[in-house]
Amino acid sequence: MPTLVLTGLFSALASSFTFLTGFGLGTILLPVFLLAMGPALAVAAVAPVHLFHNLGKFLLLRSVVDRRVLVQFGGPALVAAALGAWGLARLTDLPELGSWSLFGQTFAICPLKLVIGLSLAVFS
């Protein structure tokens, strides 16, 4: 339960920080969610936060939203998000690429974790 509460509080805090910038929510939240759950679930858990964050911004700022820009960027963003989710789902079925050990603990290099890690590094 404490992990769930902390994750929820951190989500609210990250949403408030990224409200004005319009970007960065996933980059901030995904590492936190990865600490609390597996990679596939963490990526899936960030999606509803994004949805409610964007709906909240839209409701608060709808009087100044340029509808043309919303359609030009929002439509392709929805398509790209669906394709990205589909691609990540396919990565969960692929075998490990290798493994390594540190301090007596073995770690697996999975395609999904590799793509998430590289994405976070690039987007940061």
Side-chain angles (χ1 to χ4, degrees), residues 4-19 25 28-29 32-33 49 53:
L4 182 61
V5 171
L6 286 174
T7 304
L9 290 173
F10 199 83
S11 297
L13 186 63
S15 293
S16 66
F17 286 154
T18 61
F19 179 80
L25 183 60
I28 294 171
L29 279 186
V32 174
F33 283 14
V49 176
H53 185 249

Side-chain angles (χ1 to χ4, degrees), residues 24-116:
L25 183 60
T27 306
I28 294 171
L29 279 186
L30 190 56
V32 174
F33 283 14
L34 285 169
L35 292 173
M37 57 195 82
L41 187 56
V43 170
V46 171
V49 176
H50 269 99
L51 174 66
F52 290 115
H53 185 249
N54 288 330
L55 286 174
K57 284 192 300 187
F58 180 77
L59 290 174
L60 288 171
L61 303 171
R62 67 182 173 269
S63 63
V64 294
V65 170
D66 184 336
R67 307 275 186 210
R68 186 177 55 83
V69 173
L70 176 67
V71 170
Q72 284 179 334
F73 286 94
L78 286 173
V79 171
L83 288 173
W86 176 83
L88 286 175
R90 301 290 79 67
L91 290 174
T92 59
D93 298 332
L94 296 177
E96 293 178 2
L97 301 173
S99 62
W100 56 282
S101 296
L102 182 66
F103 302 119
Q105 195 168 18
T106 302
F107 300 92
I109 303 170
C110 303
L112 177 62
K113 292 179 183 179
L114 182 62
V115 168
I116 290 172

